[in-house]
């Protein structure tokens, strides 16, 4: 159940935009940036461009604001800064974003030398970092080095540094202190993630950048890990909360292959034609989910999953996932899960954790794919069971 009082305080504190209008909000934010530059006597704006939707939209707002200052007789320029750690894995997206922004000036500053120099100096000083925290800590060093570079440019050219913080990241605390959380101006403030995308469309940003899977890409052992995986919650769920929803929805797929998010409130989730998936990846606890019947979700939520849904994805916690007799794809993800196909030609993936996969008893040629840890597969003799299943019981 949603605590309405707390929810409303969060919405007010973050100044979440109500009655959103993309054209109005675009103009309001361009005007804010232009007037701030004029009133401070600075000579423009600086922003790091990653190729994600937030920096691309913020960058285009900055460029338009600086053009407005010049049109009104002022002197201002926008500087887009590319900040790769060596070679960025999604370099093509970053280059496309820079082109879409059409920045006055573009610098590329490779932060790898600075990051590794700081890292090596700390290790040489005797600082010990546990293996499991190594990549997390170093990732935050990368974020802070990127902000050092942006403030260096701003200081050299008498400019202001722009940040990309928006309401969805603010409410879940998804930023690095003194890294991407440090800036002079935040033109996306108060916008849920979906509203940033709406402004991007109004600005004519390419759709592939608008719908690109968000990733901070700070951890070397998990390159391009999606924000939603790192957070354990979907931006759509966060956005619904910020816009006052109670999480109870009727969600239906269309004619194509759809993904339906079954997190937050008691939902009715129905597929249609195409191959449809219901996911609980953003749940805050384990779920018991059954295609074709009810679901016991986090906090006692009770979803109804239609029999026209083919695939079912659990949370990052311990789940129990049940198919409906058709050919289902059941995905356990992390922790110790129980997967039961219940007939049909099924594909069960345990993922990490000690899982129990059940494909036995239906006489169909199913597939059981275990992951890490000690897994058990109960299967028919004709089922395909991978080598990662430590215990295999065939009947």
């Amino acid at each position: 159940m949603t605590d309405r009082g707390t929810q409303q305080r969060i919405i007010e504190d973050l100044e979440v935009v109500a009655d959103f209008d993309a054209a109005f909000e675009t103009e309001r934010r361009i005007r804010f940036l232009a007037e701030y530059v004029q009133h401070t006597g600075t000579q423009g704006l600086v922003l790091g461009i990653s190729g994600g939707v937030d920096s691309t939209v913020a960058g285009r707002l900055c460029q338009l604001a600086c053009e407005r200052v010049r049109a009104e007789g002022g002197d201002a320029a926008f500087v887009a800064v590319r900040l790769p750690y060596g070679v960025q894995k999604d370099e093509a997206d970053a280059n496309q974003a820079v082109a879409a922004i059409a920045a006055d000036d573009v610098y590329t500053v490779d932060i790898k030398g600075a990051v590794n120099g700081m890292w090596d100096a700390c290790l040489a000083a005797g600082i010990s970092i546990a293996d499991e925290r190594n990549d997390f800590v170093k990732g935050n060093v990368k974020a802070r080095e990127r902000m050092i570079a942006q403030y260096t440019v701003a200081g050299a050219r008498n400019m202001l540094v722009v940040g990309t913080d928006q309401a969805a990241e603010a409410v879940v605390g998804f930023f690095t202190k003194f890294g991407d959380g440090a800036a002079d101006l935040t033109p996306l403030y108060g916008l849920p993630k979906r509203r940033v995308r709406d402004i991007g469309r109004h600005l004519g940003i390419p759709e592939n950048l608008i719908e690109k899977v968000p990733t901070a890409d700070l951890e070397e052992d998990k390159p391009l890990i999606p924000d939603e995986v790192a957070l354990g919650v979907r931006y759509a769920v966060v956005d619904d909360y910020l816009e006052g929803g109670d999480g109870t929805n009727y969600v239906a797929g269309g004619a194509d292959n759809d993904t339906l998010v079954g997190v937050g409130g008691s939902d009715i989730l129905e597929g249609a034609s195409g191959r449809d998936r219901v996911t609980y990846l953003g749940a805050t606890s384990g779920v018991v989910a059954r295609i074709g019947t009810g679901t016991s979700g986090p906090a006692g939520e009770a979803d109804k999953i239609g029999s026209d849904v083919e695939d079912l994805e659990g949370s990052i916690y311990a789940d129990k996932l049940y198919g409906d007799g058709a050919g289902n794809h059941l995905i356990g993800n992390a922790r110790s899960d129980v997967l039961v196909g219940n007939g049909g030609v099924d594909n069960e993936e345990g993922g990490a954790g000690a899982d129990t996969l059940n494909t036995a008893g239906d006489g169909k040629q199913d597939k059981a794919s275990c992951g890490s840890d000690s897994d058990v597969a109960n299967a028919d003799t004709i089922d395909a069971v991978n080598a990662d299943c430590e215990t295999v019981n065939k009947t």
Side-chain angles (χ1 to χ4, degrees), residues 61 89-90 106 150 176 193 208 212 260-261 313 327 344:
L61 292 173
K89 294 187 181 300
D90 52 352
V106 180
Q150 291 172 74
T176 296
K193 188 79 170 183
N208 65 300
K212 180 184 175 183
L260 313 178
V261 180
E313 179 181 24

Side-chain angles (χ1 to χ4, degrees), residues 279-331:
T279 179
Y280 287 89
L281 187 58
T284 56
S285 63
V287 300
V288 179
R290 297 176 176 85
I291 295 177
T293 58
T295 297
S296 175
E301 297 158 7
D303 295 337
K304 300 294 183 181
I305 303 175
S307 58
D308 44 9
V309 169
E310 290 79 21
D311 305 334
L312 184 58
E313 179 181 24
S315 69
I316 60 173
Y317 303 95
D319 306 307
K320 294 183 179 179
L321 308 180
Y322 298 85
D324 66 347
N328 305 122
H329 186 182
L330 307 179
I331 306 163

Side-chain angles (χ1 to χ4, degrees), residues 131-147:
D131 289 343
E132 64 270 17
R133 290 186 59 79
N134 186 89
D135 220 33
F136 168 77
V137 176
K138 191 172 184 179
N140 284 320
V141 174
K142 294 176 185 176
R144 294 179 180 119
E145 287 291 354
R146 289 187 170 114
M147 193 52 72

Side-chain angles (χ1 to χ4, degrees), residues 32-314:
F32 163 73
L33 290 168
E35 290 178 352
Y36 206 96
V37 170
Q38 291 168 328
H39 292 164
T40 56
T42 48
Q43 293 178 288
L45 303 167
V46 180
L47 173 62
I49 305 300
S50 66
V53 64
D54 293 337
S55 67
T56 305
V57 170
R60 186 58 184 156
L61 292 173
C62 289
Q63 178 62 32
L64 293 172
C66 289
E67 290 175 5
R68 180 169 299 183
V69 172
R70 294 198 296 268
E72 295 175 357
D75 179 18
F78 171 56
V79 177
V81 189
R82 290 282 301 107
L83 297 158
Y85 176 80
V87 177
Q88 185 173 325
K89 294 187 181 300
D90 52 352
E91 185 76 20
D93 291 337
N95 291 333
Q96 185 185 15
V98 169
I101 291 166
D104 293 314
D105 295 305
V106 180
Y107 298 142
T108 298
V109 179
D110 186 349
I111 65 166
K112 188 171 185 177
V115 170
N116 290 349
M118 174 61 72
W119 192 255
D120 292 343
C122 288
L123 295 179
I127 297 172
S128 178
I129 303 173
D131 289 343
E132 64 270 17
R133 290 186 59 79
N134 186 89
D135 220 33
F136 168 77
V137 176
K138 191 172 184 179
N140 284 320
V141 174
K142 294 176 185 176
R144 294 179 180 119
E145 287 291 354
R146 289 187 170 114
M147 193 52 72
I148 288 173
Q150 291 172 74
Y151 269 102
T152 300
V153 174
R157 295 190 57 170
N158 187 30
M159 292 179 169
L160 298 166
V161 174
V162 173
T164 59
D165 183 61
Q166 26 83 351
E169 290 182 351
V171 74
V172 296
F174 195 63
F175 57 88
T176 296
K177 290 190 293 185
F178 312 113
D180 57 312
D184 300 313
L185 300 166
T186 52
L188 305 182
Y189 189 81
L191 293 173
K193 188 79 170 183
R194 64 168 61 104
R195 301 311 181 192
V196 176
R197 293 190 174 105
D198 288 340
I199 289 179
R201 292 187 178 94
H202 179 74
L203 290 170
I205 301 300
E207 189 66 20
N208 65 300
L209 296 180
I210 292 172
E211 290 298 333
K212 180 184 175 183
V213 175
T215 173
D217 194 27
L218 295 177
E219 301 180 56
E220 291 173 44
D221 65 343
K222 302 173 185 175
L224 298 179
I225 179 173
D227 292 352
E228 293 174 324
V229 173
L231 284 167
V233 64
R234 301 281 186 179
Y235 277 119
V237 176
V238 179
D239 287 353
D240 287 344
Y241 182 84
L242 290 171
E243 293 182 336
D246 64 2
T248 301
N249 302 288
Y250 171 81
V251 184
D256 298 315
N257 301 336
D258 303 301
T259 297
L260 313 178
V261 180
V263 179
S266 300
D267 306 312
I268 299 173
L269 307 165
E270 295 185 357
S273 58
R275 190 168 188 93
D276 303 308
R277 169 183 293 196
V278 167
T279 179
Y280 287 89
L281 187 58
T284 56
S285 63
V287 300
V288 179
R290 297 176 176 85
I291 295 177
T293 58
T295 297
S296 175
E301 297 158 7
D303 295 337
K304 300 294 183 181
I305 303 175
S307 58
D308 44 9
V309 169
E310 290 79 21
D311 305 334
L312 184 58
E313 179 181 24

